Amino acid sequence: MKGSRPPRDNRSAFLLDVHRRGIPGAARMRRYEDGDEVDLVIVGAGAGGGTLAQRLARKGWRIVILESGPFWDPDRDWVSDEAGQHKLYWTAPRVIGGGDPVELGKNNSGHGVGGSMIHYAGYAPRFHPSDFETNNRDGVGADWPVSYEELRPHYERVERELPVAGQDWPWGDPHAYPHAAHPISGAAEQARRGALAAGVDMRIGPVAIPNGTFGNRPHCIYRGFCLQACKVNAKASPFVTHLPDAIEHGVEVRADSHAVRIGFAGGRCTGVTYVRDGRERFQRAAAVCVSGYSIESPRLLLNSDGLANAADQVGRYLMVQGATQVAARFPDALRQYKGPPPEISSEQFYETDESRGFARGFSIQTVGPLPIDWAQHVLADGHWGHALREYMRDYNHWTTLGLLCELLPLAENRVTLAEEKDAHGMPVARFDYTQCDNDRANIAYGTKVLERIWEAAGAQDTLTIGRYAHLVGGCRMGFSPEDSVVDRDHRAWGIPNLFVCDGSVMPTQGAANPALTIMALASRLAERLSAGR
């Protein structure tokens, strides 16, 4: 029987106020002094840091989370407007380069309590068992020091906490989800008919949005603003799924506090220097966990006199996913903005098929660009002036499919420190990225599959935009200090009280959105730290 109750060891859903959207416990949150040596200071209040803090707070750990961005109050801060929500994105200066530079901002970086899951689409698939051993199976990428089997119970636990809704999943490790699938829109139904005609198997979901009420969280109202933050708190993020319970158990989330250096003496970390209200401060801690994601975590370590970088591994093997989108026009009004953007998806092409001419694969999902994003889509296809205006007037007749192509980890794709300084006096991050031939072949093949689906659906016109999504890597976990930054327990090689827990530790990208895997990794780390490992 579908439907799930919140786990007994996480009461976040019931701690929320049905009449207000902010975290109720924030006003009475525990406050630590900088001079108090807490058990753990976590840098970043996103998927990794928020989940880890909640788990360990339940075990009695004294924790401070330093978050560079603000502590959001959805009633006060969030609006139903694309341009009005740009404040959710990390838009501080960064330098990009390489042969195929990656634009940084709204599609891959978050700013504020809850991290980038505040503005993710809500899509929450698992990685496949093969993702953890791509080198052994396919001769590319890197094997993880953690197996899928070790993460499975944590996937299941987090899926209940979010909770995840969707049809039973046939790919990877076949499994069911706690909540039944949501109804789908006319736009998604059009895509599903085309996929069926083209021989592509689709499923509804999985999305981290309850199908019905969940504790004090409301049912999704299908307003289509998932990528601009869920103002009703239906979509899952650490802001509603883990931080309320963490705060209730003594965690301090110290917002507007930008970490600039990790203190280090006698072979151990001593705390974190951060800037708040224009003044440098230092929070003492028995241990430090960096959870700033794939640009900011390497930047912080590099700015801390190259901490954990004895083998020149910090910042390397940064990855994105090829995320080309192809939109299609139909006679009927489809209104692609209705409902969660990822309504239906397919992982039929996820695994390596040697007949395609490249290793690994891709997934397919519906997406629902709102008007500003739609304008960028039209412009990317080369339409300006009068043509742009006509495409904008025709918006309701279009629907869009997108790829998530697994692009391979390469040592030269990395974060370094630029000469330019930011407002905190910290060197700006530089990210250089270049695709390999396997990456290009993967994206090209996937794009042809999308075109085939729309042709089978009887589309009148199509538009294509090449783009990237989902940063991971930069502080990858591995089997030895020569080729990685942290071990299988997220501990920096040679530094017993320094941990990294976010998407930066992932050795490969997969063809799935990374949020669920990041949370599962954090859940596993908390279990091991609690056991004293």
PDB file of all heavy atoms in Angstrom, residues 253-280:
ATOM      1  N   VAL A 253      22.191  26.903  13.137  1.00  0.00           N
ATOM      2  CA  VAL A 253      22.442  27.239  11.736  1.00  0.00           C
ATOM      3  C   VAL A 253      22.776  28.725  11.698  1.00  0.00           C
ATOM      4  O   VAL A 253      21.906  29.574  11.864  1.00  0.00           O
ATOM      5  CB  VAL A 253      21.226  26.929  10.846  1.00  0.00           C
ATOM      6  CG1 VAL A 253      21.536  27.278   9.392  1.00  0.00           C
ATOM      7  CG2 VAL A 253      20.835  25.462  10.971  1.00  0.00           C
ATOM      8  N   ARG A 254      24.043  29.026  11.519  1.00  0.00           N
ATOM      9  CA  ARG A 254      24.523  30.414  11.566  1.00  0.00           C
ATOM     10  C   ARG A 254      24.607  30.949  10.132  1.00  0.00           C
ATOM     11  O   ARG A 254      25.583  30.727   9.426  1.00  0.00           O
ATOM     12  CB  ARG A 254      25.884  30.481  12.263  1.00  0.00           C
ATOM     13  CG  ARG A 254      26.309  31.869  12.701  1.00  0.00           C
ATOM     14  CD  ARG A 254      27.591  31.797  13.519  1.00  0.00           C
ATOM     15  NE  ARG A 254      27.416  31.023  14.740  1.00  0.00           N
ATOM     16  CZ  ARG A 254      28.437  30.613  15.505  1.00  0.00           C
ATOM     17  NH1 ARG A 254      29.700  30.863  15.146  1.00  0.00           N
ATOM     18  NH2 ARG A 254      28.209  29.929  16.601  1.00  0.00           N
ATOM     19  N   ALA A 255      23.549  31.643   9.716  1.00  0.00           N
ATOM     20  CA  ALA A 255      23.469  32.147   8.346  1.00  0.00           C
ATOM     21  C   ALA A 255      24.309  33.401   8.172  1.00  0.00           C
ATOM     22  O   ALA A 255      24.824  33.975   9.146  1.00  0.00           O
ATOM     23  CB  ALA A 255      22.017  32.428   7.989  1.00  0.00           C
ATOM     24  N   ASP A 256      24.463  33.823   6.894  1.00  0.00           N
ATOM     25  CA  ASP A 256      25.248  35.021   6.550  1.00  0.00           C
ATOM     26  C   ASP A 256      26.657  34.948   7.123  1.00  0.00           C
ATOM     27  O   ASP A 256      27.224  35.952   7.549  1.00  0.00           O
ATOM     28  CB  ASP A 256      24.531  36.286   7.042  1.00  0.00           C
ATOM     29  CG  ASP A 256      23.128  36.417   6.464  1.00  0.00           C
ATOM     30  OD1 ASP A 256      22.998  36.376   5.223  1.00  0.00           O
ATOM     31  OD2 ASP A 256      22.170  36.520   7.255  1.00  0.00           O
ATOM     32  N   SER A 257      27.209  33.742   7.114  1.00  0.00           N
ATOM     33  CA  SER A 257      28.528  33.491   7.692  1.00  0.00           C
ATOM     34  C   SER A 257      29.380  32.764   6.660  1.00  0.00           C
ATOM     35  O   SER A 257      29.237  31.560   6.455  1.00  0.00           O
ATOM     36  CB  SER A 257      28.407  32.644   8.965  1.00  0.00           C
ATOM     37  OG  SER A 257      27.612  33.314   9.932  1.00  0.00           O
ATOM     38  N   HIS A 258      30.274  33.501   6.011  1.00  0.00           N
ATOM     39  CA  HIS A 258      31.046  32.968   4.887  1.00  0.00           C
ATOM     40  C   HIS A 258      32.387  32.424   5.369  1.00  0.00           C
ATOM     41  O   HIS A 258      33.247  33.179   5.834  1.00  0.00           O
ATOM     42  CB  HIS A 258      31.273  34.066   3.843  1.00  0.00           C
ATOM     43  CG  HIS A 258      31.917  33.571   2.586  1.00  0.00           C
ATOM     44  ND1 HIS A 258      31.192  33.020   1.554  1.00  0.00           N
ATOM     45  CD2 HIS A 258      33.220  33.516   2.206  1.00  0.00           C
ATOM     46  CE1 HIS A 258      32.024  32.657   0.585  1.00  0.00           C
ATOM     47  NE2 HIS A 258      33.261  32.943   0.960  1.00  0.00           N
ATOM     48  N   ALA A 259      32.572  31.106   5.267  1.00  0.00           N
ATOM     49  CA  ALA A 259      33.829  30.478   5.689  1.00  0.00           C
ATOM     50  C   ALA A 259      34.950  30.857   4.725  1.00  0.00           C
ATOM     51  O   ALA A 259      34.783  30.780   3.497  1.00  0.00           O
ATOM     52  CB  ALA A 259      33.670  28.965   5.729  1.00  0.00           C
ATOM     53  N   VAL A 260      36.102  31.259   5.275  1.00  0.00           N
ATOM     54  CA  VAL A 260      37.235  31.663   4.436  1.00  0.00           C
ATOM     55  C   VAL A 260      38.476  30.798   4.644  1.00  0.00           C
ATOM     56  O   VAL A 260      39.297  30.663   3.740  1.00  0.00           O
ATOM     57  CB  VAL A 260      37.594  33.152   4.637  1.00  0.00           C
ATOM     58  CG1 VAL A 260      36.475  34.048   4.140  1.00  0.00           C
ATOM     59  CG2 VAL A 260      37.916  33.450   6.094  1.00  0.00           C
ATOM     60  N   ARG A 261      38.630  30.210   5.837  1.00  0.00           N
ATOM     61  CA  ARG A 261      39.792  29.361   6.114  1.00  0.00           C
ATOM     62  C   ARG A 261      39.443  28.338   7.184  1.00  0.00           C
ATOM     63  O   ARG A 261      38.642  28.621   8.072  1.00  0.00           O
ATOM     64  CB  ARG A 261      41.002  30.181   6.602  1.00  0.00           C
ATOM     65  CG  ARG A 261      41.733  30.966   5.550  1.00  0.00           C
ATOM     66  CD  ARG A 261      42.965  31.663   6.134  1.00  0.00           C
ATOM     67  NE  ARG A 261      42.626  32.479   7.297  1.00  0.00           N
ATOM     68  CZ  ARG A 261      42.088  33.693   7.241  1.00  0.00           C
ATOM     69  NH1 ARG A 261      41.806  34.224   6.070  1.00  0.00           N
ATOM     70  NH2 ARG A 261      41.816  34.362   8.345  1.00  0.00           N
ATOM     71  N   ILE A 262      40.094  27.197   7.096  1.00  0.00           N
ATOM     72  CA  ILE A 262      39.993  26.179   8.150  1.00  0.00           C
ATOM     73  C   ILE A 262      41.236  26.267   9.023  1.00  0.00           C
ATOM     74  O   ILE A 262      42.364  26.261   8.511  1.00  0.00           O
ATOM     75  CB  ILE A 262      39.861  24.772   7.544  1.00  0.00           C
ATOM     76  CG1 ILE A 262      38.584  24.679   6.701  1.00  0.00           C
ATOM     77  CG2 ILE A 262      39.848  23.707   8.638  1.00  0.00           C
ATOM     78  CD1 ILE A 262      38.486  23.409   5.872  1.00  0.00           C
ATOM     79  N   GLY A 263      41.026  26.375  10.325  1.00  0.00           N
ATOM     80  CA  GLY A 263      42.160  26.423  11.247  1.00  0.00           C
ATOM     81  C   GLY A 263      42.839  25.063  11.343  1.00  0.00           C
ATOM     82  O   GLY A 263      42.171  24.023  11.338  1.00  0.00           O
ATOM     83  N   PHE A 264      44.163  25.073  11.449  1.00  0.00           N
ATOM     84  CA  PHE A 264      44.905  23.815  11.457  1.00  0.00           C
ATOM     85  C   PHE A 264      46.164  23.981  12.303  1.00  0.00           C
ATOM     86  O   PHE A 264      46.926  24.934  12.127  1.00  0.00           O
ATOM     87  CB  PHE A 264      45.285  23.423  10.024  1.00  0.00           C
ATOM     88  CG  PHE A 264      45.924  22.070   9.889  1.00  0.00           C
ATOM     89  CD1 PHE A 264      45.158  20.917   9.993  1.00  0.00           C
ATOM     90  CD2 PHE A 264      47.283  21.948   9.660  1.00  0.00           C
ATOM     91  CE1 PHE A 264      45.734  19.658   9.871  1.00  0.00           C
ATOM     92  CE2 PHE A 264      47.877  20.701   9.528  1.00  0.00           C
ATOM     93  CZ  PHE A 264      47.097  19.550   9.637  1.00  0.00           C
ATOM     94  N   ALA A 265      46.380  23.054  13.240  1.00  0.00           N
ATOM     95  CA  ALA A 265      47.583  23.084  14.090  1.00  0.00           C
ATOM     96  C   ALA A 265      47.819  21.697  14.655  1.00  0.00           C
ATOM     97  O   ALA A 265      46.867  20.989  15.012  1.00  0.00           O
ATOM     98  CB  ALA A 265      47.417  24.095  15.226  1.00  0.00           C
ATOM     99  N   GLY A 266      49.061  21.297  14.702  1.00  0.00           N
ATOM    100  CA  GLY A 266      49.406  20.004  15.292  1.00  0.00           C
ATOM    101  C   GLY A 266      48.810  18.817  14.574  1.00  0.00           C
ATOM    102  O   GLY A 266      48.519  17.792  15.206  1.00  0.00           O
ATOM    103  N   GLY A 267      48.624  18.929  13.262  1.00  0.00           N
ATOM    104  CA  GLY A 267      48.083  17.819  12.482  1.00  0.00           C
ATOM    105  C   GLY A 267      46.580  17.662  12.538  1.00  0.00           C
ATOM    106  O   GLY A 267      46.041  16.695  11.998  1.00  0.00           O
ATOM    107  N   ARG A 268      45.881  18.631  13.172  1.00  0.00           N
ATOM    108  CA  ARG A 268      44.430  18.532  13.295  1.00  0.00           C
ATOM    109  C   ARG A 268      43.777  19.886  12.991  1.00  0.00           C
ATOM    110  O   ARG A 268      44.394  20.942  13.154  1.00  0.00           O
ATOM    111  CB  ARG A 268      44.022  18.093  14.712  1.00  0.00           C
ATOM    112  CG  ARG A 268      44.532  16.720  15.105  1.00  0.00           C
ATOM    113  CD  ARG A 268      44.111  16.367  16.524  1.00  0.00           C
ATOM    114  NE  ARG A 268      42.673  16.257  16.670  1.00  0.00           N
ATOM    115  CZ  ARG A 268      41.977  15.155  16.428  1.00  0.00           C
ATOM    116  NH1 ARG A 268      42.597  14.060  16.013  1.00  0.00           N
ATOM    117  NH2 ARG A 268      40.669  15.128  16.608  1.00  0.00           N
ATOM    118  N   CYS A 269      42.522  19.838  12.569  1.00  0.00           N
ATOM    119  CA  CYS A 269      41.748  21.057  12.396  1.00  0.00           C
ATOM    120  C   CYS A 269      41.318  21.588  13.757  1.00  0.00           C
ATOM    121  O   CYS A 269      41.026  20.819  14.676  1.00  0.00           O
ATOM    122  CB  CYS A 269      40.513  20.794  11.548  1.00  0.00           C
ATOM    123  SG  CYS A 269      40.888  20.300   9.858  1.00  0.00           S
ATOM    124  N   THR A 270      41.264  22.896  13.874  1.00  0.00           N
ATOM    125  CA  THR A 270      40.903  23.529  15.147  1.00  0.00           C
ATOM    126  C   THR A 270      39.593  24.310  15.078  1.00  0.00           C
ATOM    127  O   THR A 270      39.079  24.737  16.116  1.00  0.00           O
ATOM    128  CB  THR A 270      42.018  24.471  15.598  1.00  0.00           C
ATOM    129  OG1 THR A 270      42.258  25.440  14.566  1.00  0.00           O
ATOM    130  CG2 THR A 270      43.311  23.700  15.867  1.00  0.00           C
ATOM    131  N   GLY A 271      39.078  24.511  13.880  1.00  0.00           N
ATOM    132  CA  GLY A 271      37.854  25.271  13.709  1.00  0.00           C
ATOM    133  C   GLY A 271      37.839  25.947  12.353  1.00  0.00           C
ATOM    134  O   GLY A 271      38.620  25.596  11.463  1.00  0.00           O
ATOM    135  N   VAL A 272      36.965  26.952  12.205  1.00  0.00           N
ATOM    136  CA  VAL A 272      36.801  27.625  10.918  1.00  0.00           C
ATOM    137  C   VAL A 272      36.751  29.138  11.110  1.00  0.00           C
ATOM    138  O   VAL A 272      35.991  29.640  11.958  1.00  0.00           O
ATOM    139  CB  VAL A 272      35.512  27.160  10.203  1.00  0.00           C
ATOM    140  CG1 VAL A 272      35.303  27.925   8.902  1.00  0.00           C
ATOM    141  CG2 VAL A 272      35.566  25.659   9.924  1.00  0.00           C
ATOM    142  N   THR A 273      37.550  29.847  10.314  1.00  0.00           N
ATOM    143  CA  THR A 273      37.466  31.304  10.255  1.00  0.00           C
ATOM    144  C   THR A 273      36.387  31.682   9.251  1.00  0.00           C
ATOM    145  O   THR A 273      36.354  31.164   8.130  1.00  0.00           O
ATOM    146  CB  THR A 273      38.812  31.913   9.823  1.00  0.00           C
ATOM    147  OG1 THR A 273      39.807  31.584  10.792  1.00  0.00           O
ATOM    148  CG2 THR A 273      38.711  33.432   9.700  1.00  0.00           C
ATOM    149  N   TYR A 274      35.498  32.579   9.651  1.00  0.00           N
ATOM    150  CA  TYR A 274      34.414  32.986   8.766  1.00  0.00           C
ATOM    151  C   TYR A 274      34.199  34.495   8.889  1.00  0.00           C
ATOM    152  O   TYR A 274      34.637  35.134   9.857  1.00  0.00           O
ATOM    153  CB  TYR A 274      33.129  32.222   9.085  1.00  0.00           C
ATOM    154  CG  TYR A 274      32.534  32.496  10.447  1.00  0.00           C
ATOM    155  CD1 TYR A 274      31.450  33.363  10.604  1.00  0.00           C
ATOM    156  CD2 TYR A 274      33.041  31.875  11.592  1.00  0.00           C
ATOM    157  CE1 TYR A 274      30.889  33.605  11.845  1.00  0.00           C
ATOM    158  CE2 TYR A 274      32.494  32.113  12.844  1.00  0.00           C
ATOM    159  CZ  TYR A 274      31.421  32.982  12.972  1.00  0.00           C
ATOM    160  OH  TYR A 274      30.878  33.234  14.205  1.00  0.00           O
ATOM    161  N   VAL A 275      33.541  35.055   7.882  1.00  0.00           N
ATOM    162  CA  VAL A 275      33.244  36.488   7.870  1.00  0.00           C
ATOM    163  C   VAL A 275      31.746  36.679   8.072  1.00  0.00           C
ATOM    164  O   VAL A 275      30.935  36.098   7.343  1.00  0.00           O
ATOM    165  CB  VAL A 275      33.688  37.138   6.549  1.00  0.00           C
ATOM    166  CG1 VAL A 275      33.271  38.614   6.521  1.00  0.00           C
ATOM    167  CG2 VAL A 275      35.192  37.008   6.360  1.00  0.00           C
ATOM    168  N   ARG A 276      31.406  37.493   9.070  1.00  0.00           N
ATOM    169  CA  ARG A 276      30.004  37.827   9.326  1.00  0.00           C
ATOM    170  C   ARG A 276      29.914  39.301   9.698  1.00  0.00           C
ATOM    171  O   ARG A 276      30.691  39.779  10.526  1.00  0.00           O
ATOM    172  CB  ARG A 276      29.439  36.963  10.448  1.00  0.00           C
ATOM    173  CG  ARG A 276      27.930  37.049  10.578  1.00  0.00           C
ATOM    174  CD  ARG A 276      27.409  36.168  11.690  1.00  0.00           C
ATOM    175  NE  ARG A 276      25.988  35.932  11.565  1.00  0.00           N
ATOM    176  CZ  ARG A 276      25.227  35.412  12.535  1.00  0.00           C
ATOM    177  NH1 ARG A 276      25.778  35.063  13.691  1.00  0.00           N
ATOM    178  NH2 ARG A 276      23.936  35.228  12.340  1.00  0.00           N
ATOM    179  N   ASP A 277      29.005  39.996   9.063  1.00  0.00           N
ATOM    180  CA  ASP A 277      28.843  41.435   9.292  1.00  0.00           C
ATOM    181  C   ASP A 277      30.154  42.187   9.065  1.00  0.00           C
ATOM    182  O   ASP A 277      30.483  43.140   9.787  1.00  0.00           O
ATOM    183  CB  ASP A 277      28.330  41.693  10.716  1.00  0.00           C
ATOM    184  CG  ASP A 277      26.952  41.092  10.956  1.00  0.00           C
ATOM    185  OD1 ASP A 277      26.150  41.053   9.998  1.00  0.00           O
ATOM    186  OD2 ASP A 277      26.686  40.653  12.092  1.00  0.00           O
ATOM    187  N   GLY A 278      30.914  41.732   8.062  1.00  0.00           N
ATOM    188  CA  GLY A 278      32.144  42.424   7.697  1.00  0.00           C
ATOM    189  C   GLY A 278      33.322  42.181   8.606  1.00  0.00           C
ATOM    190  O   GLY A 278      34.387  42.791   8.426  1.00  0.00           O
ATOM    191  N   ARG A 279      33.195  41.259   9.565  1.00  0.00           N
ATOM    192  CA  ARG A 279      34.265  41.012  10.532  1.00  0.00           C
ATOM    193  C   ARG A 279      34.637  39.529  10.551  1.00  0.00           C
ATOM    194  O   ARG A 279      33.763  38.670  10.531  1.00  0.00           O
ATOM    195  CB  ARG A 279      33.798  41.451  11.924  1.00  0.00           C
ATOM    196  CG  ARG A 279      34.857  41.313  13.013  1.00  0.00           C
ATOM    197  CD  ARG A 279      34.384  42.001  14.293  1.00  0.00           C
ATOM    198  NE  ARG A 279      33.207  41.360  14.861  1.00  0.00           N
ATOM    199  CZ  ARG A 279      33.258  40.361  15.755  1.00  0.00           C
ATOM    200  NH1 ARG A 279      34.423  39.881  16.148  1.00  0.00           N
ATOM    201  NH2 ARG A 279      32.140  39.856  16.250  1.00  0.00           N
ATOM    202  N   GLU A 280      35.939  39.254  10.583  1.00  0.00           N
ATOM    203  CA  GLU A 280      36.402  37.868  10.695  1.00  0.00           C
ATOM    204  C   GLU A 280      36.206  37.351  12.105  1.00  0.00           C
ATOM    205  O   GLU A 280      36.505  38.033  13.086  1.00  0.00           O
ATOM    206  CB  GLU A 280      37.884  37.752  10.306  1.00  0.00           C
ATOM    207  CG  GLU A 280      38.123  37.615   8.836  1.00  0.00           C
ATOM    208  CD  GLU A 280      39.495  37.034   8.497  1.00  0.00           C
ATOM    209  OE1 GLU A 280      40.271  36.721   9.437  1.00  0.00           O
ATOM    210  OE2 GLU A 280      39.788  36.889   7.301  1.00  0.00           O
TER     211      GLU A 280
END
